[in-house]
């Protein structure tokens, strides 16, 4: 972790995951693993955004969402810094994770953040179920085990009324318990804490102030988004009205007004078309600019890596040579870029 001021709020295990009922797939035994999980606000924002977006798109009250948790693990200290969504299919009522998508996404993620590893997965719900156990078993017996032998399971309850400082989040580890002579995979609660850096505190503070206050004044972000939403909604309403008018005139349910039709035709002719040569030229120009920026970033990253390698090689070369200050030895090694 970078050297910045850190604010840590330890959430007690007994209060962090108050569930309305005890799940049969959760072990009641005390957790003696000594694992300490640190959660960053960015992870929680990503999970909440994932659930809200899918809920609004599918118009479902409680949609199924699954994602991966990434971060850094040092010994028994786990730091969950980010997350990303996972693709899955529901076959005969059972969730099947798209492992090819997971591997591709994980490799792409590690190209940008090479220090981050796969640490576990997340979903929504009040308490773990047998379906969650089956998904977790997929992570244990498939390609996910190549990235982490014992992935964590984070569950968020979006419908729990938060009346205290504790978040509706529970982190679980998996254990193998012998029940009636057979091995069963169970979840066991793990302690976690919220850890924030300076940049994250600024971002969270900005998001927290986007809600309307008691005086009815919101942030500039809320005002901007509200204006855009109203404009798009008004445009959609007017286009829908024109479409209904054309349908009624086409079906002879309303008399044709040629003046209105000419106005509609003139409006459509003024709208830009994506098939024009000017649009294609402008689109290709912007597309090439984005590719050029990406290539420059990749080249800069590669040059920085080579520069670090040269520095390490020069340090190792000068350390292994006794004296190391002769004219002949000063020319050994590689120059920095």
């Amino acid at each position: 972790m970078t050297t910045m001021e850190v604010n840590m709020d330890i959430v007690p295990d007994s209060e962090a995951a108050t569930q309305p009922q005890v799940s049969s797939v959760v072990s009641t035994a005390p957790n003696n693993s000594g694992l300490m999980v640190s959660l960053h606000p960015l992870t929680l924002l990503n999970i909440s955004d994932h659930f809200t977006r899918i809920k609004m798109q599918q118009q479902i009250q409680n949609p199924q969402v699954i994602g991966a948790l990434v971060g850094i693990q040092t010994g028994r200290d786990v730091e969950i810094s980010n997350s990303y969504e996972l693709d899955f299919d529901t076959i005969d009522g059972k969730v099947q994770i798209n492992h090819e998508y997971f591997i591709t996404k994980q490799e792409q993620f590690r190209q940008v953040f090479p220090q981050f590893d796969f640490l576990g997965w997340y979903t929504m719900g009040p308490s773990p179920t047998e379906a969650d156990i089956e998904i977790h078993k997929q992570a244990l017996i498939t390609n996910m085990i190549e990235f982490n032998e014992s992935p964590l399971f984070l569950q968020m309850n979006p419908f729990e009324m938060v009346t205290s400082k504790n978040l509706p989040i529970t982190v679980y580890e998996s254990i193998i318990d012998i029940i009636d002579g057979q091995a069963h995979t169970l979840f066991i609660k793990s302690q976690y804490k919220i850890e924030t850096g300076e940049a994250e505190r600024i971002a969270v503070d900005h998001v927290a102030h986007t809600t309307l206050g008691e005086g009815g004044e919101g942030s500039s972000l809320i005002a901007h988004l509200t204006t855009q939403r109203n404009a798009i909604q008004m445009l959609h309403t007017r286009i829908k009205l024109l479409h209904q008018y054309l349908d009624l005139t086409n079906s002879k349910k309303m008399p044709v007004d040629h003046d209105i039709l000419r106005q509609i035709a003139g409006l459509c002719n003024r709208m830009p078309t994506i098939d024009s040569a000017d649009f294609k030229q402008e689109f290709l120009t912007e597309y090439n600019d984005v590719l050029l920026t990406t290539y420059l970033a990749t080249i800069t990253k590669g040059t920085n890596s080579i520069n670090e390698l040269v520095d390490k090689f020069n340090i190792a070369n000068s350390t292994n040579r006794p004296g190391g200050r002769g004219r002949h030895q000063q020319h050994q090694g590689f120059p920095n870029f």
Side-chain angles (χ1 to χ4, degrees), residues 90-126:
T90 303
I91 303 176
D92 297 332
K94 295 183 179 180
V95 174
Q96 298 292 331
I97 298 177
N98 188 338
H99 298 288
E100 294 182 358
Y101 175 85
F102 164 74
I103 295 175
T104 303
K105 191 73 173 179
Q106 184 64 19
E107 292 177 352
Q108 293 175 348
F109 205 92
R110 295 193 68 174
Q111 289 179 1
V112 182
F113 302 100
Q115 72 277 16
F116 285 176
D117 297 321
F118 170 73
L119 300 178
W121 64 286
Y122 68 83
T123 189
M124 299 290 177

Side-chain angles (χ1 to χ4, degrees), residues 39-334:
L39 281 174
H40 282 259
L42 178 59
T43 306
L44 306 181
L45 291 176
N46 287 343
I47 297 174
S48 177
D49 174 74
H50 184 193
F51 173 79
T52 304
R53 183 161 25 85
I54 299 300
K55 178 181 177 182
M56 297 303 296
Q57 291 175 354
Q58 300 182 358
Q59 294 297 316
I60 300 177
Q61 184 66 20
N62 188 19
Q64 175 76 56
V65 296
I66 299 176
L69 305 172
V70 294
I72 302 174
Q73 181 171 2
T74 305
R76 304 303 295 170
D77 295 330
V78 178
E79 184 177 350
I80 303 176
S81 304
N82 208 333
S83 64
Y84 58 85
E85 304 171 15
L86 288 179
D87 184 29
F88 64 92
D89 298 317
T90 303
I91 303 176
D92 297 332
K94 295 183 179 180
V95 174
Q96 298 292 331
I97 298 177
N98 188 338
H99 298 288
E100 294 182 358
Y101 175 85
F102 164 74
I103 295 175
T104 303
K105 191 73 173 179
Q106 184 64 19
E107 292 177 352
Q108 293 175 348
F109 205 92
R110 295 193 68 174
Q111 289 179 1
V112 182
F113 302 100
Q115 72 277 16
F116 285 176
D117 297 321
F118 170 73
L119 300 178
W121 64 286
Y122 68 83
T123 189
M124 299 290 177
S127 60
T129 61
E130 291 289 346
D132 297 327
I133 287 291
E134 294 299 324
I135 299 175
H136 197 79
K137 288 181 179 179
Q138 293 184 44
L140 293 176
I141 64 177
T142 58
N143 294 329
M144 289 184 177
I145 200 172
E146 298 180 3
F147 299 93
N148 194 306
E149 296 181 355
S150 181
L152 298 173
F153 171 49
L154 185 149
Q155 190 172 47
M156 175 183 291
N157 186 4
F159 304 105
E160 180 179 345
M161 298 298 296
V162 181
T163 57
S164 63
K165 66 177 182 179
N166 298 330
L167 298 173
I169 295 171
T170 312
V171 179
Y172 297 93
E173 302 174 54
S174 61
I175 60 174
I176 303 298
D177 197 4
I178 304 300
I179 301 178
D180 297 332
Q182 296 182 354
H184 294 269
T185 301
L186 299 177
F187 290 127
I188 185 170
K189 296 178 183 178
S190 177
Q191 290 186 347
Y192 73 91
K193 60 183 178 181
I194 305 299
E195 182 171 344
T196 61
E198 184 66 27
E200 289 176 313
R201 282 203 297 272
I202 295 174
V204 171
D205 181 72
H206 179 73
V207 173
H209 284 80
T210 58
T211 57
L212 296 177
E214 296 180 356
E217 297 181 355
S219 67
S220 58
L221 176 62
I222 284 293
H224 177 68
L225 294 178
T226 302
T227 302
Q228 286 188 336
R229 178 183 179 276
N230 293 336
I232 294 174
Q233 187 175 8
M234 182 178 297
L235 177 63
H236 180 268
T237 302
R238 294 183 177 182
I239 293 176
K240 184 178 180 180
L241 179 62
L242 294 177
H243 187 268
Q244 290 177 351
Y245 173 77
L246 294 176
D247 286 340
L248 292 176
T249 55
N250 188 40
S251 59
K252 308 299 182 179
K253 296 181 180 179
M254 180 177 289
V256 177
D257 190 332
H258 295 284
D259 184 43
I260 296 178
L261 293 180
R262 282 193 296 269
Q263 293 182 17
I264 295 176
L267 178 62
C268 294
N269 292 332
R270 287 197 300 267
M271 296 179 63
T273 173
I274 62 175
D275 294 330
S276 63
D278 294 337
F279 175 81
K280 292 181 179 179
Q281 181 64 30
E282 184 177 357
F283 174 77
L284 290 177
T285 301
E286 293 185 1
Y287 181 72
N288 291 332
D289 291 342
V290 173
L291 288 180
L292 180 60
T293 304
T294 305
Y295 292 154
L296 288 176
T298 304
I299 294 174
T300 303
K301 182 180 177 181
T303 304
N304 184 46
S305 300
I306 295 175
N307 191 37
E308 292 179 356
L309 176 62
V310 170
D311 290 338
K312 294 178 181 179
F313 179 82
N314 289 337
I315 293 174
N317 191 35
S318 61
T319 303
N320 294 332
R321 293 179 177 272
R325 299 207 176 186
R327 176 176 297 180
H328 176 71
Q329 293 175 347
Q330 287 179 350
H331 294 282
Q332 300 297 323
F334 297 102

